[in-house]
Amino acid sequence: MIVIYGLVMLVMAYLLYCFMDSYINESPFQFIVKFDLLKIVLSVLILLWICIFSIGLHNSIFDTFTYFKYSIVVVFVLVIAFIDAKTYTIPLVLLYVLIGLRIILILFEILLNSSMIMDIFQLYGFGILFALGISGIVYFISKKGLGEGDIILITIIASYVGLYNIMAIYFLSSVLMLIIALFLVIIKKNKMKDVFPMVPAIAIALIVNTLIIYFL
């Protein structure tokens, strides 16, 4: 079964790959992509993630539902992070797909834990409210330094990971974003007034947080 789960994740990752290729190059969607350094790095990260989580599933560190939920959000966010780093944009279609998948998953989660419906809605509901609230504050204080796409993505991630995890992810991604921005300014690649892609920092924070809560 683990092999089947892994194959499902690989197929999903490859489809996202093809989408990323067509989106960045502004070309029609096709199932054959040319690999470059950017795509090779992304491939390695996704394969490592699928392997690590498959090992976790095999060793009963978490259940099948958790495997799918976190694998989906991490793979999607990784692809979006590379697109954001390359184009400074976030494809809305991927956000819509993430929302649709979360709705399906939340229905399964309710069926599997029918006695904990209120706890489930409180955990994810408060997570969504926190993400919207803090992102809205940052958006206006920073004079739109945080993009609308970033806010939507952070809110979607909150619906997958819940209140406490999104708080940790938000804090860690903010620190990482500051470090990345300062580094780019120091090496004179960017200026402080420039726009910096936020999703790469969010992706790193999501992965680090997930590894900590499940493997440490």
Side-chain angles (χ1 to χ4, degrees):
M1 289 299 291
I2 294 176
V3 175
I4 295 175
Y5 298 147
L7 287 174
V8 171
M9 290 298 109
L10 285 173
V11 170
M12 182 186 73
Y14 185 74
L15 291 175
L16 288 171
Y17 244 136
C18 297
F19 173 84
M20 181 182 74
D21 189 63
S22 65
Y23 184 87
I24 291 176
N25 297 315
E26 297 182 349
S27 59
F29 182 91
Q30 56 184 4
F31 290 102
I32 299 176
V33 297
K34 295 180 180 179
F35 283 87
D36 53 24
L37 181 60
L38 178 73
K39 294 169 189 171
I40 290 173
V41 171
L42 180 55
S43 297
V44 172
L45 290 174
I46 290 176
L47 287 173
L48 279 174
W49 180 261
I50 292 174
C51 289
I52 290 171
F53 242 49
S54 295
I55 292 171
L57 179 62
H58 177 71
N59 294 330
S60 301
I61 295 176
F62 40 75
D63 55 26
T64 305
F65 179 82
T66 301
Y67 175 90
F68 273 116
K69 183 173 70 170
Y70 274 89
S71 292
I72 287 171
V73 70
V74 167
V75 172
F76 265 81
V77 173
L78 271 174
V79 172
I80 293 171
F82 275 75
I83 293 175
D84 189 34
K86 192 78 173 178
T87 67
Y88 287 72
T89 61
I90 298 176
L92 288 178
V93 64
L94 294 187
L95 300 183
Y96 295 149
V97 173
L98 265 179
I99 292 172
L101 290 172
R102 187 57 184 124
I103 292 173
I104 295 172
L105 289 173
I106 199 72
L107 293 176
F108 276 104
E109 196 165 359
I110 291 172
L111 290 174
L112 293 172
N113 304 279
S114 56
S115 61
M116 301 175 62
I117 294 178
M118 288 305 300
D119 294 332
I120 292 172
F121 277 107
Q122 287 179 0
L123 176 65
Y124 298 116
F126 284 130
I128 291 171
L129 290 175
F130 171 83
L132 281 173
I134 198 73
S135 297
I137 292 172
V138 173
Y139 178 80
F140 287 107
I141 290 179
S142 64
K143 296 181 180 180
K144 300 184 179 182
L146 186 67
E148 292 88 345
D150 297 321
I151 296 174
I152 296 172
L153 180 62
I154 292 170
T155 305
I156 293 172
I157 293 173
S159 74
Y160 277 82
V161 303
L163 175 62
Y164 305 111
N165 287 321
I166 197 59
M167 291 172 68
I169 290 169
Y170 206 104
F171 172 76
L172 181 57
S173 63
S174 299
V175 174
L176 288 170
M177 188 66 250
L178 179 61
I179 294 173
I180 293 171
L182 288 175
F183 174 75
L184 292 175
V185 170
I186 290 172
I187 65 174
K188 297 182 179 180
K189 187 175 179 61
N190 291 77
K191 297 179 180 179
M192 285 302 296
K193 64 180 181 180
D194 291 342
V195 176
F196 296 89
M198 182 72 181
V199 184
I202 296 173
I204 296 172
L206 172 62
I207 291 172
V208 170
N209 181 75
T210 305
L211 292 176
I212 288 174
I213 62 175
Y214 283 110
F215 292 92
L216 296 180

